[in-house]
Amino acid sequence: MATYHHGDLRTAVLAAAGKLIEKEGLGGLSVREAARRAGVSHNAPYRHFPDRDALLAALAAQGFSQLGKALEGRSGRELGEAYVRFALGHPQRFRLMFGGQLALDRYPELRTQAEATHGRLTAAFAGLGAEAKFAAAAAWSLVHGLAQLILDGHFENDEGFVTKVIGAIRFAVGPQRSA
Amino acid sequence: MATYHHGDLRTAVLAAAGKLIEKEGLGGLSVREAARRAGVSHNAPYRHFPDRDALLAALAAQGFSQLGKALEGRSGRELGEAYVRFALGHPQRFRLMFGGQLALDRYPELRTQAEATHGRLTAAFAGLGAEAKFAAAAAWSLVHGLAQLILDGHFENDEGFVTKVIGAIRFAVGPQRSA
DNA sequence: CGCCTGAAGTAGACAGTGGCCACATAAGTG
DNA sequence: CACTTATGTGGCCACTGTCTACTTCAGGCG
């Protein structure tokens, strides 16, 4: 059997929790169950996360990082589609990231990761003058809301639909020649 | 003191739960606490709601109904602003409505109320031909995402900001003469 | 080499929760 | 009045997050 000391429990717990969340939903994730899956006593995770919320925050931060990678190098409507695709591919993770139960202020890493993603979004709208900020915000809002509403079952989950919705808008001070 | 039978426990529990949720957040709401506030034993609510989720679903349905009223008679960007204002005014309720922990299929009233709201949104885009559906979806997505991202602290909570973001887009096949 | 300090993991306890059960009470109905 | 049925009570169970005290081990220092 393995050693008494696990070696990399933090990672193991995160992985277990990640699987749990995606299978059982956010409510189905308990620290104890994650510990069980990692083959460790119910209390061990507390050596690595001060409390349950901290574990959630770590999962969310991980999610932001993944989302960042998924958006890398894309722009225009391709970027939007990638955003939605990520949300639909990792629904529970996405919910966790934007569920609002995590106080952004309390978990610095979370904030950092989130802002990195934010930056990626706004970067795609650079060079549009003063209005760029609002256009970027609108773009993010659009794809974010779209993803959320599909996840909630208010819209059909269909690739073509997403494309058409994203295509249905133009930016007031925008790049008509977007990719 | 009051009678053994409460009279309208269902309403009382809903009210108590509503206050709780807005004060403590979604996690702070327990059936038992709601029962306490309603001055009734821990189990009484279960006569009116099969389980905790059903209580949440009822709260959410209520929320959709309120949202519906808030949107009544409005159109164009005024409608969008009203949507966001509702979300910012009842943040926890809004989160509950769109948090995704409620299986829309399992609670018919929820679905009904949600679709009524949906209808109100799309109605504002009637008469735009085949593309209307997508424009309406885009509009809903935009304001929904905007609200959510503000609630999460990713955007500033500012009336002027909202107006400008909403103003930053045009619809491909849209009503240039919107209110 | 052996000790020993501190990090990592374990074991047990506690209050609070959702949800089940059997029982008590009230309100209508014949 | 008797009886049925909705409504509310109290006790119970498994489970959870989190606290406190104990155990095991790894690495540095003599």
Side-chain angles (χ1 to χ4, degrees):
Chain A
M1 54 154 272
T3 56
Y4 183 95
H5 282 62
H6 182 287
D8 196 1
L9 222 206
R10 192 190 148 93
T11 309
V13 167
L14 268 177
K19 278 180 200 162
L20 260 175
I21 210 182
E22 219 52 84
K23 208 187 302 178
E24 310 281 349
L26 227 159
L29 166 63
S30 73
V31 178
R32 288 170 109 103
E33 182 61 27
R36 252 167 252 139
R37 306 275 176 123
V40 97
S41 93
H42 67 178
N43 243 332
Y46 285 91
R47 292 290 146 188
H48 301 273
F49 306 95
D51 56 18
R52 184 178 189 264
D53 275 2
L55 171 56
L56 293 183
L59 279 175
Q62 219 178 52
F64 275 112
S65 159
Q66 292 169 11
L67 174 57
K69 270 182 203 136
L71 301 184
E72 210 158 317
R74 302 178 192 270
S75 70
R77 94 182 32 175
E78 210 187 89
L79 199 169
E81 288 175 15
Y83 191 98
V84 175
R85 206 175 312 122
F86 175 87
L88 299 183
H90 314 274
Q92 302 296 339
R93 183 76 66 134
F94 186 76
R95 285 228 167 82
L96 171 61
M97 291 158 61
F98 295 101
Q101 47 244 160
L102 274 25
L104 215 41
D105 316 344
R106 194 174 294 172
Y107 306 99
E109 200 203 334
L110 220 200
R111 152 147 275 146
T112 306
Q113 293 285 2
E115 279 174 1
T117 301
H118 188 167
R120 223 174 280 265
L121 269 294
T122 53
F125 284 80
L128 294 180
E131 302 298 318
K133 180 184 166 194
F134 304 114
W140 189 6
S141 296
L142 175 74
V143 292
H144 185 81
L146 181 53
Q148 184 103 30
L149 290 170
I150 293 176
L151 282 181
D152 265 33
H154 296 289
F155 292 151
E156 45 187 318
N157 184 344
D158 176 84
E159 183 112 4
F161 179 78
V162 171
T163 306
K164 283 186 182 164
V165 171
I166 293 182
I169 75 164
R170 297 278 178 275
F171 296 100
V173 188
Q176 249 56 345
R177 44 164 202 85
S178 76
Chain B
M1 65 154 289
T3 55
Y4 183 94
H5 280 63
H6 181 288
D8 197 359
L9 222 205
R10 191 189 149 93
T11 308
V13 167
L14 268 177
K19 276 180 201 162
L20 261 175
I21 210 181
E22 218 53 83
K23 207 186 304 176
E24 310 280 349
L26 227 160
L29 166 63
S30 73
V31 177
R32 288 169 108 103
E33 183 62 26
R36 251 167 253 141
R37 307 274 176 125
V40 97
S41 92
H42 67 174
N43 244 331
Y46 285 93
R47 292 290 148 187
H48 300 272
F49 306 95
D51 56 19
R52 184 177 188 266
D53 275 2
L55 171 56
L56 293 183
L59 278 174
Q62 220 177 51
F64 274 112
S65 160
Q66 293 168 11
L67 174 56
K69 271 182 201 134
L71 302 183
E72 210 157 315
R74 302 178 194 270
S75 70
R77 95 181 32 173
E78 209 187 271
L79 199 168
E81 289 176 15
Y83 192 99
V84 175
R85 206 175 313 123
F86 175 87
L88 299 183
H90 313 275
Q92 302 297 338
R93 183 75 67 131
F94 186 76
R95 284 228 167 81
L96 170 61
M97 290 159 61
F98 295 100
Q101 47 243 161
L102 274 26
L104 216 41
D105 315 345
R106 195 174 294 171
Y107 306 99
E109 199 203 334
L110 221 200
R111 153 146 275 143
T112 306
Q113 293 283 4
E115 280 175 0
T117 301
H118 187 166
R120 223 174 280 265
L121 269 294
T122 54
F125 284 81
L128 295 181
E131 302 299 317
K133 180 183 167 193
F134 303 115
W140 189 6
S141 297
L142 175 74
V143 292
H144 185 81
L146 181 54
Q148 183 101 29
L149 290 171
I150 292 176
L151 282 181
D152 265 32
H154 296 288
F155 291 151
E156 45 188 318
N157 184 345
D158 175 85
E159 183 113 2
F161 179 77
V162 171
T163 307
K164 283 185 182 163
V165 172
I166 294 183
I169 75 163
R170 296 284 122 86
F171 295 99
V173 188
Q176 249 54 348
R177 43 164 203 84
S178 75

